[in-house]
């Protein structure tokens, strides 16, 4: 079982910035495409950004001009830099490997990190 630990969330004002981190326990972290998912209140979990082992990045249209995903394979860590935050981005953010059909690959989720965007 892979452990995933998200951190970096917290209250932020609209227009503000935040950097999220995710540490994964797997020894072969570098081979996985990794992604950030979010779940807003009353909505289903959605993939917002992912990055391949070759560091090719992809973003949902709603965040592509504001978010930057990156990774540090030496530290088994995934990052999400979030700028120009909007209230509708309020959600719990989770990380996971991304498999077929952009579905989460690891069998278990971490606890996520809460990002409330509010003035």
């Amino acid at each position: 079982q892979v452990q995933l630990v998200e951190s970096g969330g917290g209250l932020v004002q609209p227009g503000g910035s935040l950097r999220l981190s995710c540490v994964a326990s797997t020894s072969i972290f570098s081979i996985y495409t990794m992604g950030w998912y979010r779940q807003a209140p009353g909505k289903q979990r959605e993939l917002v950004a992912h990055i391949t082992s070759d560091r090719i990045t992809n973003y949902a249209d709603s965040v592509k001009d504001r978010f930057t995903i990156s990774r540090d394979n030496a530290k088994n860590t995934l990052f999400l830099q979030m700028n120009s935050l909007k209230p509708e981005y309020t959600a719990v953010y989770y990380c996971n490997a991304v498999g077929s059909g952009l579905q989460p690959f690891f069998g278990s989720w971490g606890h996520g990190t809460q990002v409330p965007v509010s003035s």
Side-chain angles (χ1 to χ4, degrees), residues 29-104:
F29 175 82
S30 63
I31 75 169
Y32 294 110
T33 293
M34 296 294 298
W36 286 96
Y37 298 77
R38 70 183 177 193
Q39 187 165 29
K43 302 177 74 174
Q44 65 183 24
R45 202 181 316 233
E46 63 173 343
L47 181 67
V48 298
H50 61 283
I51 181 169
T52 71
S53 60
D54 294 326
R55 292 186 170 84
I56 298 170
T57 59
N58 296 270
Y59 302 93
D61 287 342
S62 61
V63 306
K64 65 182 179 182
D65 295 327
R66 301 168 187 263
F67 288 10
T68 302
I69 189 170
S70 61
R71 65 195 298 162
D72 183 343
N73 290 336
K75 297 181 178 180
N76 280 23
T77 303
L78 181 73
F79 301 99
L80 186 68
Q81 179 67 47
M82 305 185 295
N83 299 323
S84 302
L85 285 164
K86 302 165 69 175
E88 54 262 44
Y89 294 171
T90 294
V92 180
Y93 285 73
Y94 303 86
C95 64
N96 210 314
V98 180
S100 299
L102 303 183
Q103 297 299 114

Side-chain angles (χ1 to χ4, degrees), residues 1-4 23-27 32 34 96 106-110:
Q1 180 177 333
V2 175
Q3 282 76 47
L4 300 165
V23 178
S25 65
T26 176
S27 63
Y32 294 110
M34 296 294 298
N96 210 314
F106 296 143
S108 298
W109 295 90

Side-chain angles (χ1 to χ4, degrees), residues 13 28 46 80 118:
Q13 294 183 339
I28 53 172
E46 63 173 343
L80 186 68
S118 176

